[in-house]
Amino acid sequence: MSHSYFFNRLLLAIPTLAGAVTITFILLRVVPGDPIAMMTGPGATEADIAQLRAHYGLDHSIAHQFVLYLGQVITGDLGTSISLRQDVGELIIGRLPVTVELVLIAMLIAASLALVLALTGTFWRDRWPERLVDSFIGVVVAIPDFLWALSLILILGVAIPVMPIFGRMDLTVSFDSWTNFYLTESLLRGEFEVTRSVLHHMVLPAVSLALPLMAITTRVLKSCLNAEMNREYVTLARTRGFSRLKVIYSQALRNALVPATTLSGVQFTFLIGGTVLVERIFGYPGIGNMAIDAVINRDLPLIQGLVLTFAILFILVNLLIDLFVTFLDPRLRHA
Amino acid sequence: MPDGRPDLPLMRRILREPRIIFGLCILGLMCLAAILAPWLSPHNPLEQDLLFSFLPPSWQENGDPIFFLGTDNLGRDIASRLIYGTRTALIVAIVAATLAALLGTILGMIAGFYGGKIDMLISCAVDIWMSFPAVLLSIVLVAVIGAGLHAVIIAIVIIDWTRFCRVMRAETMVQKERDYVSSAVTIGLSRFRILFQEVLPNLLPLLIVLLTLEMGIAIVVETILSFVGLSVASDTPTWGNLIQEGRQYIHQAPWLLGLPVACVVLSVLGLNALGDGIKEVIDPESRQ
């Protein structure tokens, strides 16, 4: 595999990251409302306030603050949260596994459902299953994850109460986690009661995140599959006696996955942004939920750290998609 | 225009497209509700009456026909609050979508038509912009600007101009290669005039489609920001505020959440259908 290709992709990520850092810094320095005033009670003396200002580096000029901030970011020091009074890096690392597990499960659901739906639509082309898939996708694609979350709460949480609608696992289950990757860790440690509870709580948020992504991916994959089905190699394979299912599955699919992944890859990054609200709605203790609290509390260091984390996640997902495409298409490895 | 009456068959095609009819119905209902809110609402949307709190919709048990869609925790009439909420939704949808379209289209046209350094600059800005999670950016923006309707609108414009910019840039590049542009150059029209008098009318159909879809997005963003508590003051009835309040009493009074969610879903579905329908009518090639 070509190393320079990935090196180039990594280099391309630098302007994005730099842009993210700069924009958040600028945005948050014009925030009206003094974060120090919010921290201190009415009894604080001038000296206390000045000391806090110095502690958070707010007493320097804007340019000086930016240079200081850049230096800290590069060394991995994200500062101290104003509202929670803890190290921002530690806070984020503590919550990140929650979001990462949720995002990965949601992507898995979206990808597998899209695969099944697109294959169904292609196999029964121009018959009622394809029309059913098309109309289903048409409705699903229009509704964003935020509204899916609320609708699913109403349907599967209240009307037919089969799914939990709040938190990461049942309160009756206790789990002393070392890594905060509850799902992976409970599986590895064999505590399946925990795994069950975590998965059960994950269903609604993950499905809410997955549905819009699934719809778009199905649409793209289906049209790529249809294009492949008109190609000569498919006709050849059919005349050689391979069944339609076998040709779709073992030949057309592999070729259709490459353009489909390239086209719908961006959508996978949108899913990360969706966690902000979906975690909020389901009271899920990930970084998305934390971000809303940070904004409401005007917690500058925490907001900056979180935006940076989101930008890094975006870049990582993009890289993963690139890797997947190169894995599928050998021609790209030497391009 | 080559044809004498080019709009007649187009009108007929528009009226035959069920998605356009559905979308126009929803949009028409929303406009009616927004304009006629004071006359349509059975009650004052802010009037509290604790004697009538948590009344279910009238078709359910214990429902009261005076409060057709029930009441909330403070005894306020849900039907009236939903009708007044349409106003905010529609204002945000129209103003924010139009401004985002204006900004994005002008920048996109300039980038696509002039190319070179200015294109590189604009495209690079779009790329960096789009690498932010939109939801997070809008929340941060509103926190910076300060809550309120104007902040919501500014946030939507700042975030979503990129949607228009990307598409319009690509389409302008396509149009630029067409014969009518070289003809216009030959007869000596200025580049500025070619761009705005010749190219722009050809971008309009696509722009209308994007605008319709963006209106749906704007409604959702306003709802989201109200839900997080960053839009208009919480005593103003907006769909998002209703959703946020309804979320707290979900087991006690699920209709408080269900009804505003249904309003948002219906309006988003309607606007999407309208946009998709128009796209299909003006561009039959997009059909698969």
Side-chain angles (χ1 to χ4, degrees):
Chain A
M1 195 159 296
S2 147
H3 291 286
S4 65
Y5 175 70
F6 286 102
F7 188 66
N8 284 339
R9 296 293 311 184
L10 274 177
L11 276 184
L12 276 178
I14 292 174
T16 315
L17 266 182
V21 176
T22 317
I23 291 174
T24 27
F25 182 85
I26 294 169
L27 270 181
L28 295 167
R29 280 301 175 273
V30 292
V31 178
D34 188 348
I36 299 296
M38 286 184 67
M39 295 173 64
T40 50
T45 61
E46 290 286 322
D48 290 340
I49 293 174
Q51 196 192 345
L52 276 172
R53 250 175 216 295
H55 179 73
Y56 288 103
L58 295 172
D59 53 346
H60 300 288
S61 73
I62 296 278
H64 190 178
Q65 283 184 41
F66 185 58
V67 175
L68 280 179
Y69 181 64
L70 269 186
Q72 285 170 347
V73 167
I74 288 167
T75 53
D77 173 16
L78 295 174
T80 312
S81 156
I82 292 175
S83 61
L84 300 166
R85 314 209 171 167
Q86 285 177 50
D87 185 68
V88 169
E90 277 171 26
L91 278 170
I92 293 177
I93 286 173
R95 297 276 201 111
L96 193 60
V98 185
T99 304
V100 168
E101 280 187 340
L102 180 66
V103 163
L104 288 179
I105 293 285
M107 285 182 176
L108 196 69
I109 294 175
S112 27
L113 283 180
L115 201 62
V116 171
L117 286 176
L119 286 174
T120 312
T122 313
F123 187 69
W124 284 287
R125 199 168 166 187
D126 294 325
R127 306 248 296 278
W128 66 266
E130 193 200 4
R131 280 188 282 275
L132 193 70
V133 168
D134 282 349
S135 16
F136 175 63
I137 294 303
V139 174
V140 173
V141 82
I143 300 177
D145 40 24
F146 168 73
L147 292 174
W148 276 119
L150 294 170
S151 311
L152 287 173
I153 284 185
L154 281 164
I155 300 166
L156 294 174
V158 178
I160 317 164
V162 286
M163 289 293 166
I165 57 174
F166 200 84
R168 198 180 180 194
M169 60 178 188
D170 293 329
L171 292 174
T172 48
V173 182
S174 68
F175 185 55
D176 184 23
S177 176
W178 306 317
T179 59
N180 228 357
F181 283 100
Y182 280 19
L183 195 62
T184 331
E185 198 185 323
S186 65
L187 265 178
L188 290 176
R189 281 163 61 179
E191 300 198 28
F192 298 120
E193 185 52 31
V194 177
T195 317
R196 192 203 59 81
S197 184
V198 170
L199 274 178
H200 196 197
H201 278 76
M202 215 182 237
V203 173
L204 290 189
V207 169
S208 318
L209 285 169
L211 280 176
L213 174 64
M214 171 214 75
I216 294 168
T217 318
T218 307
R219 209 173 245 185
V220 173
L221 182 58
K222 205 169 132 275
S223 73
C224 291
L225 268 171
N226 279 345
E228 289 301 319
M229 290 307 281
N230 295 329
R231 301 276 285 269
E232 280 175 358
Y233 71 89
V234 169
T235 325
L236 178 69
R238 291 284 285 143
T239 51
R240 285 175 63 199
F242 287 108
S243 73
R244 197 173 147 75
L245 184 67
K246 171 120 182 136
V247 174
I248 293 177
Y249 181 74
S250 65
Q251 308 211 0
L253 181 61
R254 196 172 171 116
N255 286 313
L257 271 180
V258 176
T261 315
T262 320
L263 286 172
S264 56
V266 188
Q267 305 294 331
F268 280 82
T269 58
F270 291 161
L271 189 144
I272 298 170
T275 58
V276 175
L277 283 160
V278 169
E279 284 183 358
R280 186 72 176 179
I281 293 170
F282 288 99
Y284 217 74
I287 54 169
N289 206 343
M290 194 184 216
I292 292 183
D293 284 330
V295 170
I296 290 172
N297 295 328
R298 298 202 187 288
D299 191 335
L300 301 187
L302 191 54
I303 299 174
Q304 283 170 332
L306 284 166
V307 171
L308 199 63
T309 314
F310 274 106
I312 293 171
L313 280 179
F314 264 50
I315 291 162
L316 281 180
V317 170
N318 271 324
L319 275 175
L320 271 177
I321 290 159
D322 283 341
L323 258 174
F324 185 63
V325 174
T326 16
F327 164 76
L328 287 172
D329 189 350
R331 282 170 297 183
L332 289 178
R333 286 176 214 164
H334 310 288
Chain B
M1 295 269 174
D3 202 296
R5 304 178 67 186
D7 25 72
L8 234 189
L10 184 71
M11 272 314 284
R12 210 170 289 159
R13 265 185 294 159
I14 285 176
L15 291 176
R16 261 201 212 139
E17 172 62 51
R19 279 178 287 180
I20 295 186
I21 305 296
F22 171 68
L24 284 178
C25 285
I26 299 279
L27 194 60
L29 278 177
M30 287 178 67
C31 292
L32 272 182
I35 296 166
L36 301 177
W39 295 279
L40 280 178
S41 304
H43 298 268
N44 180 339
L46 301 176
E47 192 183 277
Q48 304 180 7
D49 191 341
L50 291 173
L51 287 176
F52 294 105
S53 62
F54 291 123
L55 279 182
S58 57
W59 60 86
Q60 285 187 2
E61 212 183 326
N62 298 328
D64 188 331
I66 301 172
F67 299 102
F68 174 61
L69 295 177
T71 57
D72 65 5
N73 55 320
L74 298 173
R76 293 175 295 192
D77 179 46
I78 295 298
S80 310
R81 292 175 72 72
L82 286 174
I83 292 173
Y84 271 91
T86 318
R87 280 193 165 175
T88 317
L90 210 59
I91 290 173
V92 172
I94 293 172
V95 177
T98 311
L99 291 178
L102 209 64
L103 181 64
T105 307
I106 291 175
L107 288 176
M109 282 170 67
I110 291 172
F113 196 74
Y114 291 98
K117 269 185 191 149
I118 191 154
D119 179 29
M120 238 176 68
L121 195 73
I122 294 176
S123 299
C124 187
V126 170
D127 281 346
I128 292 181
W129 228 252
M130 293 196 86
S131 68
F132 271 92
V135 178
L136 192 62
L137 186 56
S138 57
I139 292 172
V140 171
L141 270 176
V142 174
V144 170
I145 307 167
L149 209 54
H150 66 287
V152 174
I153 291 171
I154 294 172
I156 295 173
V157 174
I158 293 182
I159 294 164
D160 278 349
W161 64 274
T162 51
R163 289 176 194 270
F164 292 91
C165 190
R166 273 170 91 118
V167 178
M168 287 303 152
R169 171 179 171 268
E171 189 60 23
T172 307
M173 288 166 85
V174 172
Q175 294 289 339
K176 200 177 130 185
E177 302 304 318
R178 296 271 164 92
D179 287 340
Y180 74 88
V181 173
S182 10
S183 316
V185 173
T186 319
I187 60 170
L189 290 187
S190 73
R191 293 221 279 181
F192 185 81
R193 260 186 85 181
I194 296 175
L195 187 56
F196 285 91
Q197 281 191 354
E198 307 294 323
V199 176
L200 183 60
N202 287 296
L203 299 176
L204 278 182
L206 194 60
L207 186 59
I208 292 171
V209 173
L210 285 180
L211 197 64
T212 320
L213 297 174
E214 180 64 31
M215 282 174 69
I217 294 169
I219 289 180
V220 174
V221 174
E222 197 281 322
T223 313
I224 286 172
L225 290 170
S226 290
F227 175 78
V228 183
L230 289 171
S231 181
V232 291
S234 59
D235 56 346
T236 315
T238 67
W239 292 344
N241 280 340
L242 267 87
I243 289 176
Q244 200 269 331
E245 287 158 17
R247 177 78 184 83
Q248 298 164 25
Y249 306 104
I250 180 145
H251 292 289
Q252 201 176 350
W255 64 90
L256 291 183
L257 178 61
L259 291 168
V261 168
C263 283
V264 183
V265 169
L266 257 183
S267 51
V268 171
L269 279 180
L271 286 166
N272 257 283
L274 186 60
D276 285 348
I278 299 176
K279 184 160 70 186
E280 192 142 314
V281 168
I282 58 174
D283 179 21
E285 285 163 28
S286 72
R287 235 175 289 167
Q288 281 170 8

